[in-house]
């Protein structure tokens, strides 16, 4: 990644100097098809009209391209060899008004950065799409790559005549034939937007059309053409009607709350292959990972997740696209709001009414982990450059920020919050903002001092832990209930929390655990008394942060923890139960609850969990506990018990239900003895059956992965399965299975494929990494631990940032969970103080996870076993 960085100070200087009036970008993508070897390039001609506040000054445009054919500035031809260094085009002696034309040969991507080219193995068709955030538009056309230099964009695309081509703007007339085989599509100019949200999608996509209409307050009718796209091979599985239903529900919701009409004309949603992220909010042309087109049976949690992502991206049309942060320091201004609004609209506008349960159980788990890493940062982060920005798309910026906004709504009130959003959009439409701009409108609408709230919640890092402490009189009534607040030594801020405290008990033995008393309280400082609950009868469970109003780690008093050990399944409220599961997992991660105790809770109570999303999260945590937190001497036995309980629940689950499917996948991931493997083989060859379980193609790959990683499915079996499922998805599954096999030569081949070669696409590299590291193969993988540290700097230097991040994170020797691995990590960090800060951050995060695992194992080892 040499020479491709951009610092905040460079961006500020350029923003003071330049004002961009318009872009005209012409892309010739005919080279995407036909015979030829990699790497392929395409022609890109960018015309930029801009003004300079200091005539005679020097600045630069951004472009990452193999070759520049011509550069013209204000009619003067510049020598590309003199002004282009591979990442920047120098612009000297600028006039007050300027026209820059850059004619370049840009490279198609195989890493999901820039213009990605994918060849479908099923039919040989080529599909293209762009992905830019934070700064990869410069891989497709010359530009000023920073969010505060907005401008209208006019795109044209020349491509094979049988294709579909899309951009942010609507198509401007019919495609014009260039010759018998190709055509040019032109698109209307966009509103002023940032470079990172421009987009092009082109290929023989399957397209479904619909429209959305709404009468606005002034009586005019807003009509939004809708489109949904996927690869032709996925068309039989494409449930466009469901996608359009959620889309229309979201547009209704946001129009009702924001009082600002959708500003970008059409609304296309393209589900694209080999996508690095979940989705991207390109205005008028949103892109999603195609895994959201479900090839097989999935649980309702998967549909809920997709709906949430659709709504998250839609919220960005206002938060992020209409009003955009000035620099990546305030990335949270768009991501936190979109994350919060995704769940808010999901619950209020769609059929997924348990969205806040999922938020509490899944999204906040991501935040809690990120907020305890050494790389934690305030929600308003200090982003020095683009590499910093790339790594800040994390659990702090998304989920913690959304959690804090949920708390803010409780603090200022819903009406004041939404009125603040409405003023924010109208005041800053098509502009750029900082934190102060949002705080100003919220102060106006709420009447509260937002500066103090911001200092506590947005400008400090770390998560507080809240623990109840109750005393009782001789009659068993509460004499005092206090909430104790703690903070980590490195981040000592004790924050104000508006929260609810719930008291729970069973009215009769064997009955449900129900809430009988509740109080809302403002927790401040190290100790807060909940006066309203004085005199209440003694509870069996005290639940701090009931209803999940604030962002904190929930702790339990001894009596409450004892109740959960025996009666967790008796909690009838799904959100309260989800909060308890989350709190128990945090206790396990923090080395305060032995991992085997957590697994015992899973084995006793997970089978009765009614919320499928919570169940799947609990199963994920159980896998993490077994893999990383159970003491090694007991890992094998704990694994057998977990597999046994998973099979029991699989057989007990309602036939054909989502719970049955979830238990089938979980059982496969923990199958360990000959009987387990025989059952999986029988389910694959139809010699064994479980009533109601449909072993479709996706589930077949799940079972095959379990067999391959145990050495019970060889290469020939995996090749035969690929012949049965010769698709892009099938190829990813096969590559993962192949890399999972327990043989030294297999691991060596996988290592070389991702570390020593760059021929794999992003999707296949990630599949190889996912297969490489298997919990039951610790000894087999041990020789790669020292090699990991030897290649780190080379990988970071030579590979794209997406691939480098995948390698650094995915191949860290976390399974070598010994003090020696921790020491080796510390040695690398000590010996490489000048390594790229983003690289050091990734290694520090992996080191922290390893240190946490060793502490949790120590807790588990010290547990008294029955």
């Amino acid at each position: 990644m040499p020479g491709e960085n951009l610092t905040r100070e460079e961006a500020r200087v350029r923003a003071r100097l330049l004002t961009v009036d318009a872009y005209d970008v012409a892309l010739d993508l005919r080279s995407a098809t036909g015979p030829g070897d990699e790497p392929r390039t395409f022609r890109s001609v960018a015309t930029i009209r801009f003004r300079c506040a200091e005539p005679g000054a020097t600045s630069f445009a951004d472009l990452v391209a193999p070759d520049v054919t011509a550069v013209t500035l204000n009619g003067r031809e510049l020598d590309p060899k003199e002004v282009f260094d591979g990442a920047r085009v120098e612009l000297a002696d600028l006039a007050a008004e300027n026209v820059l034309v850059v004619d370049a040969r840009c490279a198609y991507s195989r890493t999901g950065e820039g213009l990605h080219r994918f060849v479908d193995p099923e039919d040989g068709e080529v599909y293209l799409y762009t992905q830019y955030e934070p700064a990869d538009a410069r891989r497709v056309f010359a530009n000023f790559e920073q969010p505060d230099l907005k401008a209208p964009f006019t795109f044209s695309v020349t491509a094979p005549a049988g294709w579909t081509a899309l951009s942010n703007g609507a198509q401007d007339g019919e495609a014009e034939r260039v010759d018998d085989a190709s055509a040019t599509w032109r698109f209307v100019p966009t509103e002023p937007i940032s470079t990172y949200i421009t987009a092009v999608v082109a290929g023989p996509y399957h397209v479904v059309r619909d429209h959305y209409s709404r009468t606005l307050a002034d009586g005019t009718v807003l009509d939004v053409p809708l489109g949904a796209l996927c690869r032709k091979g996925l068309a039989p599985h494409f449930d466009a009607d469901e996608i359009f239903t959620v889309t229309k529900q979201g547009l209704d919701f946001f129009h009702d709350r924001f009082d600002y009409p959708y500003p970008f004309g059409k609304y296309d949603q393209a589900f694209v292959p080999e996508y690095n992220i979940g989705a991207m909010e390109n205005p008028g042309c949103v892109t999603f990972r195609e895994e959201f087109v479900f090839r097989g049976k999935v649980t309702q949690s998967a549909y809920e997740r997709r709906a949430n992502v659709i709504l998250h991206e839609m919220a960005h049309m206002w938060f992020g696209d209409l009003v955009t942060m000035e620099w990546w320091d305030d990335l949270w201004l768009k991501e936190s709001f979109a994350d919060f609004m995704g769940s808010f609209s999901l619950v209020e506008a769609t059929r997924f009414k348990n969205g806040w349960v999922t938020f509490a159980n899944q999204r906040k788990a991501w935040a809690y982990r990120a907020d305890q890493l050494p790389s934690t940062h305030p929600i308003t982060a200090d982003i020095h450059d683009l590499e910093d920005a790339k790594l800040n798309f994390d659990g702090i910026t998304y989920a913690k920020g959304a959690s804090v906004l949920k708390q803010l709504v409780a603090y200022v009130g819903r009406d004041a919050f939404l009125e603040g959003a409405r003023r924010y959009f109208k005041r800053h439409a098509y502009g750029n903002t900082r934190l102060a701009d949002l705080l100003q409108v919220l102060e106006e609408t709420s009447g509260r001092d937002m500066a103090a709230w911001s200092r506590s919640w947005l400008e400090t890092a770390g998560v507080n832990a809240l623990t109840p402490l109750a005393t009782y009189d001789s009659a068993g009534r509460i004499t005092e209930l206090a909430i104790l607040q703690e903070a980590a030594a490195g981040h000592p801020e004790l924050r104000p929390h508006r929260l609810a405290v719930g008291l729970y008990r069973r009215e009769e033995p064997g009955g449900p655990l129900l809430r009988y008393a509740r109080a809302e309280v403002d927790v401040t400082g190290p100790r807060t008394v909940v006066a309203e609950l004085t005199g209440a009868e003694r509870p069996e469970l005290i639940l701090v942060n009931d209803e999940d109003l604030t962002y904190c780690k929930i702790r339990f008093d001894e009596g409450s923890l004892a109740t959960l050990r025996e009666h967790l399944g008796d909690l009838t409220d799904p959100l309260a139960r989800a909060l308890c599961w989350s709190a128990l997992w945090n206790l396990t991660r923090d080395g305060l609850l032995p991992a085997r105790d957590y697994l015992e809770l899973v084995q006793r109570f997970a089978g009765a969990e009614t919320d499928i999303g919570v169940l799947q999260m609990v199963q994920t945590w159980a896998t993490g506990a077994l893999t990383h937190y159970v003491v090694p001497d007991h890992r094998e036995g704990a694994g057998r018990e977990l597999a046994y309980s998973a099979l029991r629940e699989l057989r007990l689950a309602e036939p054909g239900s989502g719970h049955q499917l979830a238990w089938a996948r979980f059982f496969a991931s923990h199958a360990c003895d000959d009987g387990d493997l025989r059952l999986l083989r029988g389910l694959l060859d139809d010699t064994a059956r479980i009533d109601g379980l449909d072993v479709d193609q996706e589930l077949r790959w799940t079972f095959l992965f379990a067999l391959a990683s145990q050495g019970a499915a060889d290469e020939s079996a995996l090749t035969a399965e690929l012949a049965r499922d010769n698709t892009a998805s099938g190829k990813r599954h096969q590559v993962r299975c192949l890399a999972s096999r327990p043989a030294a030569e297999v691991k060596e081949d996988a290592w070389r494929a991702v570390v020593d070669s760059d021929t794999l696409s992003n999707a296949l590299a990630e599949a190889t990494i996912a297969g490489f590291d298997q919990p039951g193969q610790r000894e087999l993988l041990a020789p790669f631990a020292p090699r990991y540290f030897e290649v780190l700097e080379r990988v970071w230097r030579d590979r794209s940032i997406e691939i480098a991040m995948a390698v650094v994170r995915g191949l860290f020797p976390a399974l070598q969970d010994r003090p020696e691995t921790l020491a080796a990590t510390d040695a690398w960090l000590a010996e490489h103080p000048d390594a790229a800060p983003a690289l050091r951050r990734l290694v520090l995060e992996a080191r922290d996870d390893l240190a946490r695992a060793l502490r949790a194992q120590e807790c588990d080892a010290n547990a008294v076993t029955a």
Side-chain angles (χ1 to χ4, degrees), residues 253 257 343-350 352-353 356 414:
F253 177 88
R257 272 63 176 187
S343 293
F344 185 24
S345 57
L346 185 78
V347 171
E348 301 218 352
T350 77
F352 301 105
K353 300 305 180 185
W356 288 124
R414 173 172 163 159

Side-chain angles (χ1 to χ4, degrees), residues 90-122:
E90 182 182 356
L91 306 175
D93 193 22
L94 291 171
E97 296 186 359
N98 302 272
V99 178
L100 172 68
V101 182
V102 180
D103 190 340
R105 300 297 305 183
C106 295
Y108 294 103
S109 169
R110 297 199 72 211
T111 64
E113 301 151 291
L115 180 60
H116 188 80
R117 177 178 180 269
F118 171 78
V119 181
D120 193 332
E122 191 172 359

Side-chain angles (χ1 to χ4, degrees), residues 508-736:
E508 57 185 11
L513 198 56
L514 301 172
R515 187 173 71 186
Y516 66 94
R518 173 191 181 276
E520 280 198 27
V521 62
D522 289 312
V523 170
T524 57
R527 190 175 189 275
T528 300
V529 174
V530 188
E532 189 176 333
L533 294 178
T534 300
E537 294 182 0
R538 187 182 193 116
E540 292 182 83
L541 168 67
I542 303 172
L543 183 56
V544 176
N545 197 30
D546 204 357
E547 301 174 22
D548 196 38
L549 298 181
T550 193
Y551 172 80
C552 68
K553 287 197 293 187
I554 298 170
R555 300 301 198 207
F556 300 109
D557 63 334
E558 289 186 10
S560 296
L561 186 56
T563 295
L564 292 174
R565 287 180 183 274
E566 298 299 326
H567 303 291
L568 174 58
D570 295 334
L571 266 172
T572 58
D573 181 77
L575 179 55
R577 202 168 56 246
L579 290 170
C580 290
W581 276 119
S582 176
L584 291 164
W585 173 240
N586 279 319
L587 288 170
T588 307
R589 289 189 76 245
D590 290 346
L592 300 175
L593 179 71
R596 279 174 289 162
D597 287 11
Y598 178 79
L599 292 179
E600 182 181 354
L601 289 164
V602 172
Q603 291 164 45
R604 291 184 62 189
F605 300 119
E609 178 55 59
T610 57
D611 188 289
I612 187 61
V614 173
L615 171 62
Q616 289 178 284
M617 195 73 245
V618 167
Q619 290 172 337
T620 298
W621 291 337
T623 298
L626 177 65
T627 302
H628 299 293
Y629 300 157
V630 170
V631 66
D633 288 348
H634 291 274
R635 197 176 281 142
E636 184 177 346
R640 283 197 301 269
E641 291 175 5
L642 197 59
Y644 174 81
S645 67
L647 181 56
R648 180 191 69 224
E649 298 300 339
L650 169 58
R651 296 190 184 281
L652 290 173
E654 180 184 347
S657 67
H659 283 67
Q660 184 188 55
L661 178 60
W663 283 113
R665 291 173 177 166
F666 187 62
F667 167 68
S669 68
H670 292 284
C672 55
D673 63 25
D674 290 343
D676 295 342
L677 300 181
R678 278 196 304 273
L679 175 58
L680 293 179
R681 281 194 294 267
L683 291 169
L684 283 169
D685 62 24
D686 210 27
T687 59
R689 289 191 59 80
I690 293 176
D691 186 29
L693 184 65
D694 178 18
V695 185
D696 59 26
Q697 187 59 64
E698 287 295 296
L699 195 55
R700 287 183 64 83
W701 282 116
T702 299
F703 292 170
L704 275 166
F705 180 75
L707 293 168
S709 64
Q710 298 274 359
D714 60 16
E715 183 173 0
S716 64
L718 300 175
T719 301
E721 194 67 23
L722 181 62
R724 175 191 177 107
D725 182 27
N726 188 23
T727 64
S729 299
K731 182 62 178 176
R732 289 194 299 271
H733 285 305
Q734 188 221 20
V735 166
R736 178 169 173 253

Side-chain angles (χ1 to χ4, degrees), residues 239-435:
D239 52 341
D241 287 346
E242 170 74 8
I243 290 164
F244 286 138
T245 294
V246 173
T247 301
K248 294 173 184 179
Q249 290 169 331
L251 287 169
D252 275 339
F253 177 88
F254 291 123
H255 279 110
D256 287 342
R257 272 63 176 187
F258 292 165
D259 190 32
Y260 195 107
Y262 171 69
F264 297 110
K266 68 181 179 68
Y267 200 79
D268 290 325
Q269 298 175 96
F271 294 78
V272 299
E274 298 190 324
Y275 205 45
N276 284 325
I277 59 176
M280 184 65 206
E281 67 268 18
N282 316 306
C285 191
V286 184
T287 41
F288 298 82
R289 64 187 299 117
E290 70 176 17
E291 284 78 3
F292 285 126
V293 179
F294 305 123
R295 298 198 317 150
K297 182 176 180 178
V298 296
T299 67
Q300 281 301 303
S301 178
Y303 288 102
E304 179 187 313
R305 168 66 178 149
R306 183 179 66 183
N308 185 288
V309 174
I310 289 171
L311 296 168
H312 174 117
E313 303 310 320
M314 187 179 293
H316 273 311
M317 300 299 119
W318 290 266
F319 283 107
D321 294 359
L322 177 66
V323 183
T324 310
M325 70 276 157
E326 184 176 292
W327 177 249
W328 301 101
D329 292 354
D330 285 315
L331 174 63
W332 82 280
L333 279 174
K334 72 184 187 77
E335 294 301 348
S336 299
F337 271 89
D339 220 46
F340 170 75
M341 284 293 175
S343 293
F344 185 24
S345 57
L346 185 78
V347 171
E348 301 218 352
T350 77
R351 63 188 174 94
F352 301 105
K353 300 305 180 185
N354 279 349
W356 288 124
V357 176
T358 304
F359 181 85
N361 195 242
Q362 297 182 18
R363 298 301 280 180
K364 292 181 85 168
W366 182 26
Y368 293 143
R369 176 187 177 273
D371 215 5
Q372 295 173 87
L373 290 169
S375 58
T376 188
H377 55 84
I379 294 172
T380 54
D382 181 22
I383 304 299
H384 178 260
D385 55 28
L386 290 178
E387 286 193 9
D388 281 355
K390 187 69 173 178
L391 268 65
N392 254 45
F393 290 82
D394 60 11
I396 304 295
T397 301
Y398 284 73
K400 180 181 179 181
S403 302
V404 167
L405 289 177
K406 190 169 187 276
Q407 192 267 357
L408 176 63
V409 172
Y411 178 63
V412 304
R414 173 172 163 159
D415 291 343
F417 176 80
L418 289 173
E419 176 58 26
R422 289 188 282 269
R423 294 187 189 185
Y424 180 73
F425 299 141
K426 292 171 183 175
R427 195 169 297 174
H428 302 288
Y430 304 111
N432 297 87
T433 57
R434 296 182 178 183
L435 169 63

